[in-house]
Amino acid sequence: MKIILYIFTLTTSFISAQNITTKLIDDENKPLSAISIEVETSSKKNYDLTSDKNGDFNFELEQASSFTIYIKEFGYQEFEQKFKTNEIKFPLTILLKKDETINLKDVVVSAQKPLVKRKIDRLEFNVENTPLQNLSAWDIVKNTPNVLVKNDQLSVRGNTQILVTINDKKTLMTQDELKQLLENTDGSTVSSIEVITNPPAKYEASGSAIINIKMKKNVLSGYKGQLSTRYHQATYAKGMLGTSQSYNKDKWQLSGSYYFVNGKYMRKNFDVTTYEEAKTRWESDMTRRTVAKEQHVYNFASQYSIDSLQYLQFGFNGYNNPASIGNYKVPTTIYNTVNNQEESNYLTQNHRKEFSNSFNAYLAYDKKFGKHNLTWTNNFSTRYYKENQNVLTQLNFKDKPYEENRFLSAALQKLNLFSTQIDYTYNQENYGLEAGSKYSFVQNNNDLDFYESINNIIEYQPEKSNIFDYKEQIFALYFSGNYKWKKWEAKAGLRTETAWINTISDNPNAKNKRTDTEIFPTLYVMYNFENAGQIGLNYGKRIDRPNYNFLNPSKSYYNLFSYFQGDANAISTIIHNLSLTYTLKDWNFETYYRYEKNPAMEISIQNPETFETVYHFTNIKNGEAFGINLSKNFTLKPWWKLNLFAMTEYNQNYYFGPDQLQYKNDVIFYNLNLSTQINLDKAKTFNISAGYIYNSEAIQGSFNISSSQNTYLILNKKFWEKKFEIGLTFNDIFRTDRNTISTKYANQNQDFKDYRDTQYFILNLKYNFGNQKVKDTKQAKKTTEQNRI
């Protein structure tokens, strides 16, 4: 990159050195307006400025002996230079060169940071100073290579067992809560997205991959804030009102946010179950309407710098939903498959009320001494969840009198978690070392009370009620090292985790007490070619521990003929990842193999004798996947970018049916993600983003999942020097983001049509005030155990 700076003295004017006026011009000597400039002075007074319509900006020097000017503007070469006050004359004129790509024979010299960069253990998707920053953080993640979004659920290379972190710090949120947070995170604060498909030994062994969202860093001090509101119109309307605040001054960094959400949620299911022996077909048409009048999402983070080498972090975050109320009416019609005539029917009315509250707090200490670094982090989490059901079933069965069945259930979950960990790092120019340890303790208590109407009297049913207790302790140690020589890079690590697990269930009576120790090796090798290409090979072993709720073996009834049942004896899934990567001139290729031993998932099983459908969480035998993907980002014009990601994967699962025979399910899966971003004006105040996502047929255990598509359009306009912002989002424009999930083997024959209200329109309004370049306080690490809540 070449930057040309012309500084000359204007002899016809005079200005005191204490009040500095500087002009920005381009190659044609025209002033550059609306350009963001950062000025850092030796007197510790810093400025965040914007050039006016004449290209001018000014600041007070206040006797500083030197100052540094930073300019990073899309379409222009980066500018960063330190000036000594006694060696220059004022005023200044800075000439910014346009960002151009120069071809010199076989060498490509780019004046812009590569959008996609392959590192030895991860893929980095850089979005700083690109049109992508006009999107929300959620939309940026959706456009990241290797990341798939299906039914608003994130996955990496088709695997949903992932961790999402912000600045390497984990988030204690469900998928819906995480989506809500990222939708309210301005893309201008995001620097890059890291996709770690084979995490190093430093990271906990749980989860198959990691998506790390890196926020922009800023040396400037000050205060910033944002007020935002959103109107979301799908089948029903939803609304959001929130604010975020940040303050960075001297030794303190403080940030916090609060969002209030209100609205109705809808999901449609059309389920068809065929019983071959009984020659009947059961069709249920369910529309789930849930009203959540208030949801509260909050976050606070603080950092205090004791000195330049050590600091403390403290913070908390949480989610509170006092009441989600659903009233579902589900008509079911039973047909005779011989003549396709209706012979019976029943109506299920389900009144549900849920209360959910989760809270997480952390305290961390970080100390640097020379090339050494020591970090101690502590986390505490608690979750309180209640669910009440009142289910009435009106039965009109063939050759039987009209009958009503009514049952009530009350479920309660209390979960507490504590963890503490120590991390040590040592870095030299060509090599580095990492080591650490972690201890965590989890206690999960579940209480299910079941009541049934007998002769119009509600009576407690102890044989259908349950108390379930789960305790888990995990102790981990890890060590890793990396080394660079000539064109080679290598990194290797080893992690060991010992888990003590104790589960007790009173109905059904089940006890499970076990101790498991696993070793998780990782290895990476990369060779860098002279023409900016790279080839790398890596291997890693991971573990996926079941969510706590899925280990409860009690029956949780949805209606008279279906229930969910966990498995107290479910074991963890062991995952082996092997990848070969190749990068050449911004083209990124990857081929990989994944083997899963005892993967756990939800399997539906029909019972022809009782006509019940059991949704059972359990382990299947194994799963394998072979895949290849490619990604490329094209700069068609300085104001127009096109992003391409495509993958194909052969996936196979082996599982046991209710007849105890082994079955195989396999598929070749395809994914295409094509998106574009266009800046419609030079000041980048008006932009358009559009995209198309295609997912082919997929599998999960015994299930076959149909293909789906999503086409979206996002418009964004900023006013009043980018302080006020209006955004419009049109998602799933053609209403094609829906699935049919089916299974057919042995005596199993089911189809589920699922639509999650993905066609919607969103109006976003944001008002920014204060110094918008202040960085948000980094979040302290949260734990893998929190991710399983």
Side-chain angles (χ1 to χ4, degrees):
M1 182 189 302
K2 293 184 178 180
I3 303 174
I4 302 179
L5 173 65
Y6 296 95
I7 305 175
F8 57 90
T9 305
L10 301 179
T11 56
T12 58
S13 64
F14 172 81
I15 188 167
S16 170
Q18 299 301 313
N19 186 5
I20 307 303
T21 298
T22 306
K23 179 182 288 291
L24 294 181
I25 60 173
D26 61 14
D27 297 313
E28 299 177 354
N29 205 32
K30 293 181 179 179
L32 293 173
S33 63
I35 302 294
S36 298
I37 305 104
E38 298 176 14
V39 181
E40 181 181 4
T41 71
S42 59
S43 61
K44 303 302 181 182
K45 184 165 185 178
N46 305 318
Y47 299 90
D48 176 27
L49 308 169
T50 302
S51 59
D52 61 21
K53 63 181 180 180
N54 298 317
D56 296 334
F57 65 93
N58 58 77
F59 57 94
E60 295 290 336
L61 198 54
E62 296 188 354
Q63 306 301 323
S65 60
S66 65
F67 61 93
T68 304
I69 295 178
Y70 305 90
I71 304 175
K72 294 183 180 181
E73 186 72 13
F74 178 70
Y76 296 91
Q77 296 179 9
E78 286 187 13
F79 177 80
E80 177 181 337
Q81 184 163 333
K82 184 176 182 179
F83 300 93
K84 291 185 178 180
T85 307
N86 59 358
E87 294 181 0
I88 61 174
K89 297 181 180 180
F90 300 100
L92 300 175
T93 296
I94 296 177
L95 172 64
L96 291 184
K97 271 281 190 178
K98 287 188 176 180
D99 185 5
E100 298 176 350
T101 299
I102 304 171
N103 290 292
L104 300 174
K105 295 182 180 180
D106 294 331
V107 180
V108 177
V109 181
S110 176
Q112 188 176 3
K113 190 177 182 181
L115 202 64
V116 177
K117 183 178 181 180
R118 176 76 65 181
K119 295 184 177 180
I120 190 170
D121 59 359
R122 67 197 64 194
L123 187 74
E124 186 177 52
F125 184 57
N126 297 296
V127 299
E128 193 167 0
N129 300 317
T130 72
L132 284 166
Q133 290 199 305
N134 294 314
L135 307 178
S136 70
W138 174 256
D139 293 314
I140 291 175
V141 171
K142 288 200 304 183
N143 282 284
T144 301
N146 273 326
V147 177
L148 307 183
V149 180
K150 194 173 180 66
N151 291 329
D152 285 339
Q153 185 176 38
L154 295 172
S155 65
V156 173
R157 298 192 309 203
N159 195 317
T160 59
Q161 304 302 324
I162 62 174
L163 303 178
V164 178
T165 62
I166 299 176
N167 284 339
D168 285 317
K169 314 301 187 290
K170 297 187 182 69
T171 56
L172 175 61
M173 292 185 179
T174 65
Q175 283 279 354
D176 289 339
E177 295 164 8
L178 177 66
K179 179 174 180 286
Q180 192 174 104
L181 172 68
L182 295 180
E183 282 182 335
N184 289 289
T185 300
D186 198 313
S188 63
T189 65
V190 178
S191 173
S192 64
I193 309 292
E194 293 181 333
V195 182
I196 313 173
T197 54
N198 186 18
K202 180 179 180 179
Y203 295 90
E204 285 124 343
S206 184
S208 65
I210 294 173
I211 299 174
N212 181 40
I213 303 170
K214 297 182 69 175
M215 310 305 289
K216 290 175 64 176
K217 296 181 180 180
N218 198 307
V219 298
L220 299 181
S221 299
Y223 165 77
K224 76 170 181 178
Q226 182 184 87
L227 295 175
S228 58
T229 184
R230 179 198 306 135
Y231 176 79
H232 180 130
Q233 180 65 58
T235 302
Y236 300 101
K238 292 182 279 290
M240 182 278 293
L241 180 65
T243 182
S244 62
Q245 314 284 326
S246 295
Y247 180 73
N248 180 9
K249 183 69 174 177
D250 299 327
K251 295 185 176 183
W252 283 100
Q253 295 182 33
L254 305 171
S255 66
S257 63
Y258 169 76
Y259 298 102
F260 175 85
V261 183
N262 169 286
K264 290 183 180 180
Y265 299 82
M266 188 276 287
R267 180 178 175 184
K268 287 187 175 182
N269 295 90
F270 185 77
D271 302 345
V272 179
T273 303
T274 303
Y275 295 95
E276 300 289 351
E277 295 180 1
K279 293 181 171 47
T280 57
R281 183 178 69 254
W282 299 44
E283 296 184 357
S284 298
D285 191 0
M286 178 170 63
T287 300
R288 305 181 190 181
R289 299 181 183 90
T290 303
V291 180
K293 292 186 177 181
E294 53 179 298
Q295 299 172 70
H296 309 272
V297 182
Y298 56 90
N299 173 74
F300 171 76
S302 65
Q303 177 176 300
Y304 176 74
S305 299
I306 301 172
D307 52 40
S308 60
L309 299 177
Q310 56 183 334
Y311 62 82
L312 286 170
Q313 288 182 316
F314 169 74
F316 57 83
N317 60 64
Y319 173 81
N320 178 265
N321 184 353
S324 283
I325 299 174
N327 290 289
Y328 311 148
K329 287 187 177 182
V330 188
T332 301
T333 305
I334 303 172
Y335 295 91
N336 187 310
T337 58
V338 176
N339 53 26
N340 206 34
Q341 297 295 314
E342 178 183 342
E343 63 177 30
S344 302
N345 65 78
Y346 65 92
L347 175 67
T348 301
Q349 300 181 64
N350 188 337
H351 176 72
R352 301 169 65 93
K353 185 176 181 180
E354 298 179 28
F355 169 87
S356 179
N357 184 72
S358 61
F359 176 81
N360 173 75
Y362 63 85
L363 176 65
Y365 171 75
D366 190 276
K367 169 68 175 179
K368 294 180 176 64
F369 40 100
K371 297 179 179 179
H372 308 265
N373 192 85
L374 187 67
T375 304
W376 179 34
T377 307
N378 300 275
N379 290 272
F380 171 75
S381 296
T382 181
R383 174 178 169 83
Y384 187 85
Y385 174 81
K386 291 194 301 183
E387 178 194 80
N388 293 292
Q389 281 192 119
N390 187 339
V391 182
L392 173 65
T393 306
Q394 298 169 309
L395 301 156
N396 293 285
F397 274 40
K398 179 183 178 182
D399 300 328
K400 290 184 179 181
Y402 172 81
E403 183 183 358
E404 289 188 355
N405 177 281
R406 185 185 179 198
F407 69 84
L408 294 82
S409 66
L412 174 65
Q413 180 195 44
K414 297 178 181 179
L415 190 148
N416 292 293
L417 179 152
F418 170 75
S419 70
T420 183
Q421 64 186 66
I422 296 177
D423 298 292
Y424 165 79
T425 59
Y426 174 76
N427 286 306
Q428 287 280 9
E429 183 177 354
N430 295 321
Y431 68 90
L433 300 173
E434 295 178 327
S437 65
K438 174 191 167 184
Y439 169 78
S440 66
F441 174 76
V442 176
Q443 183 170 6
N444 181 26
N445 303 115
N446 292 268
D447 191 352
L448 174 65
D449 292 327
F450 193 92
Y451 302 85
E452 198 165 9
S453 176
I454 301 176
N455 297 324
N456 293 322
I457 300 176
I458 302 297
E459 297 183 7
Y460 176 69
Q461 303 295 316
E463 71 279 1
K464 293 184 178 181
S465 302
N466 170 263
I467 295 177
F468 174 73
D469 292 325
Y470 176 90
K471 292 181 180 179
E472 174 189 274
Q473 299 180 75
I474 296 178
F475 179 72
L477 293 170
Y478 76 87
F479 177 83
S480 71
N482 61 279
Y483 184 70
K484 296 180 181 180
W485 73 103
K486 297 182 179 179
K487 298 177 182 179
W488 288 91
E489 293 181 62
K491 186 174 182 177
L494 196 65
R495 185 182 185 92
T496 178
E497 293 188 356
T498 298
W500 297 270
I501 298 174
N502 186 14
T503 62
I504 300 175
S505 172
D506 71 341
N507 186 28
N509 190 284
K511 293 184 179 181
N512 186 357
K513 189 175 183 179
R514 67 179 187 267
T515 301
D516 299 319
T517 299
E518 291 284 349
I519 296 176
F520 305 95
T522 52
L523 176 65
Y524 314 83
V525 179
M526 178 175 284
Y527 179 80
N528 298 284
F529 297 106
E530 292 183 357
N531 60 354
Q534 300 167 319
I535 187 169
L537 179 68
N538 63 74
Y539 163 78
K541 177 183 174 184
R542 307 286 293 170
I543 190 171
D544 180 30
R545 297 186 175 92
N547 287 349
Y548 308 120
N549 292 342
F550 294 161
L551 297 170
N552 189 344
S554 67
K555 298 178 180 179
S556 178
Y557 280 86
Y558 300 128
N559 57 55
L560 186 61
F561 295 97
S562 67
Y563 61 86
F564 172 82
Q565 186 173 29
D567 185 357
N569 296 309
I571 60 177
S572 300
T573 303
I574 298 298
I575 306 167
H576 297 271
N577 290 313
L578 181 65
S579 298
L580 177 66
T581 62
Y582 179 64
T583 302
L584 181 64
K585 295 182 180 179
D586 293 334
W587 283 94
N588 285 274
F589 301 89
E590 180 183 26
T591 181
Y592 60 89
Y593 169 72
R594 181 177 70 246
Y595 176 77
E596 299 174 341
K597 181 181 179 182
N598 302 313
M601 60 188 64
E602 184 179 298
I603 301 291
S604 69
I605 300 175
Q606 301 169 231
N607 189 335
E609 296 179 358
T610 62
F611 298 104
E612 288 180 318
T613 300
V614 181
Y615 299 91
H616 185 43
F617 181 85
T618 188
N619 294 100
I620 66 174
K621 186 179 180 182
N622 61 55
E624 288 183 282
F626 305 83
I628 185 169
N629 61 61
L630 64 91
S631 63
K632 170 68 174 175
N633 303 100
F634 303 89
T635 301
L636 305 178
K637 297 287 184 180
W639 43 268
W640 186 7
K641 284 193 175 290
L642 183 68
N643 313 307
L644 168 68
F645 173 75
M647 69 168 288
T648 181
E649 177 183 274
Y650 173 71
N651 195 358
Q652 62 182 19
N653 288 165
Y654 289 91
Y655 58 94
F656 290 100
D659 53 8
Q660 300 306 308
L661 296 177
Q662 180 176 296
Y663 293 87
K664 174 185 175 181
N665 199 8
D666 63 347
V667 72
I668 297 178
F669 171 75
Y670 301 95
N671 169 265
L672 173 67
N673 190 332
L674 190 64
S675 64
T676 186
Q677 300 83 37
I678 301 173
N679 279 324
L680 298 179
D681 62 351
K682 192 173 183 180
K684 299 189 301 184
T685 63
F686 187 25
N687 59 81
I688 295 177
S689 299
Y692 171 77
I693 300 172
Y694 172 77
N695 292 300
S696 70
E697 295 182 358
I699 64 170
Q700 179 181 311
S702 64
F703 293 116
N704 294 285
I705 306 170
S706 68
S707 62
S708 64
Q709 305 173 63
N710 189 347
T711 305
Y712 63 89
L713 176 68
I714 302 172
L715 308 175
N716 192 275
K717 175 64 177 176
K718 297 177 181 178
F719 303 89
W720 306 337
E721 296 182 344
K722 301 182 181 181
K723 290 185 177 180
F724 183 69
E725 183 176 343
I726 298 178
L728 300 176
T729 300
F730 303 89
N731 192 65
D732 193 13
I733 295 172
F734 303 106
R735 202 180 175 93
T736 52
D737 195 358
R738 55 175 69 207
N739 294 113
T740 297
I741 303 168
S742 60
T743 180
K744 189 173 184 179
Y745 69 98
N747 61 354
Q748 307 291 298
N749 190 344
Q750 298 171 283
D751 291 283
F752 313 93
K753 293 183 179 179
D754 186 21
Y755 173 66
R756 300 182 181 234
D757 214 14
T758 53
Q759 187 181 59
Y760 56 76
F761 159 78
I762 293 178
L763 171 64
N764 278 307
L765 301 177
K766 298 178 183 178
Y767 177 71
N768 302 305
F769 50 91
N771 182 358
Q772 288 299 310
K773 291 295 183 75
V774 179
K775 63 180 178 181
D776 288 323
T777 309
K778 292 183 179 180
Q779 299 291 314
K781 281 189 176 180
K782 304 180 184 69
T783 66
T784 299
E785 292 76 24
Q786 294 166 348
N787 223 45
R788 294 161 57 203
I789 294 176

